[in-house]
Amino acid sequence: TLDASFHAACVWSQCFLGFIAFPVSITKRVILKPTVFGNTYKAQVLPVSGDTEKVMFDVFIYDRTDDICEIVTGIKMIDVSGGRLRPSEWIRFSTP
């Protein structure tokens, strides 16, 4: 579930900041209730700061009854490609 959250954060970075970001570090991870393979979970991925070179996220993972399972704060994501990888045009957010 945490890996899926990293993917969602990467997509957010592509859509709204225009670069492909990869997770490089986290500040804190608290597992309140371990996730179990095969179960369904919901992840809330929140951008907390960002610019054109790095972005930080916090993630909250919930089970089917909306009990919190995991909290991960300070997920630092950067463009590890040095600008060589660029998001496709279709993924970029634009206002009509």
Side-chain angles (χ1 to χ4, degrees), residues 44-82:
Q44 184 178 28
V45 181
L46 302 172
V48 293
S49 68
D51 57 38
T52 58
E53 295 181 8
K54 72 176 189 240
V55 62
M56 300 283 282
F57 289 91
D58 290 343
V59 168
F60 302 87
I61 298 172
Y62 304 89
D63 65 12
R64 283 185 165 190
T65 62
D66 288 332
D67 288 336
I68 191 138
C69 296
E70 193 167 332
I71 302 167
V72 184
T73 58
I75 301 168
K76 180 179 179 183
M77 299 187 61
I78 63 171
D79 177 3
V80 297
S81 78

Side-chain angles (χ1 to χ4, degrees), residues 6 19-21 23-24 27 31-32 40 42 49 55 58 63 66 68 77 80 83 89-90 93 95:
F6 291 157
F19 69 95
I20 299 174
V24 295
T27 301
I31 300 172
L32 302 167
T40 300
K42 174 174 55 177
S49 68
V55 62
D58 290 343
D63 65 12
D66 288 332
I68 191 138
M77 299 187 61
V80 297
E89 283 301 313
W90 65 265
F93 177 77
T95 54

Side-chain angles (χ1 to χ4, degrees), residues 4 7 9-10 21 26 28 35 40-41 47-48 56 59 63 73-74 92:
H7 285 275
C10 180
I26 62 173
K28 186 175 184 179
T35 57
T40 300
Y41 298 92
V48 293
M56 300 283 282
V59 168
D63 65 12
T73 58
R92 296 293 311 271

